Amino acid sequence: NAGVTQTPKFQVLKTGQSMTLQCAQDMNHEYMSWYRQDPGMGLRLIHYSVGAGITDQGEVPNGYNVSRSTTEDFPLRLLSAAPSQTSVYFCASSYSSRGSSYNSPLHFGNGTRLTVT
Amino acid sequence: GQQVMQIPQYQHVQEGEDFTTYCNSSTTLSNIQWYKQRPGGHPVFLIQLVKSGEVKKQKRLTFQFGEAKKNSSLHITATQTTDVGTYFCAGRHKAAGNKLTFGGGTRVLVKP
């Protein structure tokens, strides 16, 4: 199994450009999410999805869009890139744990390092 | 919003010594997970604690969940160079629909 695959690994954008970060998982996980990682800030949730056709906002959703047309894929779109979006982006997935106090661990992709100039 | 604070932010440890990193939440947690991220890598799940006062061990790593389920700790004994990395706690807040919130992480550097 490939696990969680993110592309590209690196990307440089100019302010105002748009792009899509790709994320795919082959573990049949219902739950998928996007995080951004900035120094000293830990991992902050951007958007998440509990299943195909369902998405919701996390802590820092502004400037990003997502869609979940299939169980496997969860792309993250930057509509108009800004320097504040320079960060490392991680996609993560897990089995859904609705109504349970036990939550399946997150499986992370290798990340996309994005620089916006 | 719900917050998870992690201290210290940095930890310089002499090889062979012990250290502890702490995780504190502003509200009661359903459970807490710990992850390790090696330099240049991605976070990897280590363990999950669910019960009040729970203690779990993984070789030289000991994880504790507080009685009030608002704090947790990770204690590493006899630190090795392989322990280098950033350790994150991530708590699920009952009051926030069980959303997972990550702490800021403790970056561990080991001096040989």
Side-chain angles (χ1 to χ4, degrees):
Chain A
N1 286 347
V4 179
T5 303
Q6 285 185 242
T7 57
K9 289 186 178 180
F10 301 95
Q11 183 71 49
V12 179
L13 292 177
K14 293 185 178 179
T15 297
Q17 286 185 315
S18 63
M19 79 157 295
T20 299
L21 306 185
Q22 302 292 343
C23 176
Q25 53 89 13
D26 61 358
M27 297 173 282
N28 203 31
H29 285 168
E30 294 175 290
Y31 180 87
M32 295 187 75
S33 56
W34 277 101
Y35 288 87
R36 60 177 288 173
Q37 183 174 31
D38 303 292
M41 302 288 288
L43 293 151
R44 291 184 292 169
L45 182 64
I46 305 172
H47 285 285
Y48 66 98
S49 168
V50 297
I54 306 170
T55 64
D56 206 346
Q57 295 181 348
E59 303 169 64
V60 288
N62 292 341
Y64 308 95
N65 275 357
V66 292
S67 60
R68 186 89 179 273
S69 55
T70 66
T71 300
E72 294 78 19
D73 300 296
F74 191 45
L76 178 72
R77 296 183 188 85
L78 279 70
L79 307 173
S80 177
S84 61
Q85 293 179 305
T86 293
S87 187
V88 180
Y89 291 84
F90 286 102
C91 178
S93 71
S94 73
Y95 291 108
S96 181
S97 310
R98 296 173 203 156
S100 170
S101 60
Y102 174 84
N103 294 104
S104 295
L106 290 173
H107 296 256
F108 284 83
N110 289 333
T112 296
R113 188 173 295 273
L114 175 68
T115 302
V116 182
T117 61
Chain B
Q2 313 302 324
Q3 286 193 330
V4 175
M5 305 301 294
Q6 204 172 340
I7 54 171
Q9 189 173 353
Y10 296 97
Q11 181 79 54
H12 291 227
V13 189
Q14 190 72 43
E15 190 174 12
E17 291 186 342
D18 303 351
F19 78 90
T20 304
T21 174
Y22 300 90
C23 187
N24 296 296
S25 169
S26 54
T27 60
T28 303
L29 300 171
S30 300
N31 57 58
I32 194 156
Q33 299 177 357
W34 284 88
Y35 292 80
K36 178 183 179 181
Q37 183 179 25
R38 294 184 187 276
H42 59 274
V44 175
F45 174 78
L46 293 176
I47 209 160
Q48 178 170 204
L49 304 170
V50 179
K51 299 176 182 177
S52 170
E54 189 170 14
V55 178
K56 287 188 176 180
K57 290 189 176 183
Q58 286 182 350
K59 297 183 180 178
R60 294 178 295 103
L61 278 61
T62 302
F63 303 84
Q64 288 189 316
F65 201 9
E67 293 291 340
K69 300 183 75 173
K70 286 188 175 182
N71 55 71
S72 181
S73 65
L74 161 59
H75 181 78
I76 300 182
T77 59
T79 304
Q80 300 176 358
T81 55
T82 54
D83 295 323
V84 165
T86 302
Y87 294 83
F88 292 99
C89 62
R92 284 196 188 271
H93 297 268
K94 288 183 177 180
N98 278 323
K99 285 185 181 177
L100 190 67
T101 302
F102 278 81
T106 293
R107 185 175 173 187
V108 176
L109 303 170
V110 179
K111 294 179 283 188

